[in-house]
Amino acid sequence: GAVYSGADGYAYANPGAFPRAWLVARARVVEPRDCVETLLDPGFDARREVLLATAPRLESSQTETSGEVRIEAYSANRVALGVQSSTPAFVVLSEAYHRNWRARVNGEPAPVYAAQCLLRAIPVPAGESRVELEFVDPALRAGLGISLGALVLVALLIALGTRYGVVRTAAKEDEG
């Protein structure tokens, strides 16, 4: 039912909605072409199993995990999570996967996998972990490098132009 109703509209709770991030201990490798069909299978439970195109085996034979994922910082290009997991697991984020996302788990580089066809998943060990994700766009870095190079070139041209202008003015004064 409605959790709010007023002159400006209604708001409804969706008890079936997924959280922004959750833990899953069981992973299944599926071909990308079969991913959507598997997601739509009535027997598939996305809260307990993650679909990956490729994945390492978790260091545990457990198929269930318990724990929590806390969002500690969140912006467009950075996410920091505090994770407590009873077993090795995957943190699945309800956000779009892109190959330019980079992850660190407890300060060490970690892979970011495409999960559930289009979300992000990061493997974490049992216990307490800190997961940091950053979107690193090579085009942005290339653009920054080109911009800095252009700035240096302009500064050099200004310096040379000023020097040339001073030399030329001095020569004219000597003639006159």
Side-chain angles (χ1 to χ4, degrees):
V3 292
Y4 169 82
S5 91
D8 55 343
Y10 299 92
Y12 293 90
N14 181 355
F18 281 84
R20 179 162 268 165
W22 72 96
L23 288 169
V24 177
R26 188 175 359 165
R28 185 187 326 175
V29 176
V30 296
E31 291 292 324
R33 68 178 177 271
D34 299 328
C35 190
V36 172
E37 182 180 333
T38 305
L39 277 175
L40 297 175
D41 182 333
F44 175 72
D45 183 353
R47 291 179 190 274
R48 295 176 181 249
E49 186 174 19
V50 62
L51 301 178
L52 305 167
T54 60
R57 288 202 167 271
L58 292 177
E59 297 172 11
S60 170
S61 60
Q62 299 290 320
T63 59
E64 297 295 323
T65 191
S66 62
E68 70 172 330
V69 181
R70 298 172 313 281
I71 297 172
E72 296 177 348
Y74 186 88
S75 68
N77 296 330
R78 292 179 194 265
V79 178
L81 306 168
V83 179
Q84 170 63 45
S85 180
S86 63
T87 66
F90 288 93
V91 173
V92 180
L93 285 94
S94 294
E95 298 180 349
Y97 168 83
H98 190 280
R99 68 180 182 273
N100 290 343
W101 279 101
R102 302 292 179 259
R104 296 182 83 70
V105 175
N106 299 326
E108 297 295 322
V112 178
Y113 295 100
Q116 315 312 41
C117 308
L118 57 101
L119 304 178
R120 285 181 249 156
I122 301 94
V124 295
E128 284 282 333
S129 296
R130 178 161 172 87
V131 177
E132 298 170 289
L133 291 123
E134 179 180 17
F135 189 79
V136 179
D137 188 352
L140 182 62
R141 289 186 181 197
L144 181 60
I146 290 168
S147 296
L148 287 174
L151 183 63
V152 168
L153 180 62
V154 167
L156 182 63
L157 290 173
I158 289 171
L160 288 173
T162 302
R163 180 184 161 121
Y164 176 73
V166 168
V167 170
R168 189 170 176 200
T169 304
K172 283 188 175 184
E173 287 176 3
D174 287 342
E175 291 175 4

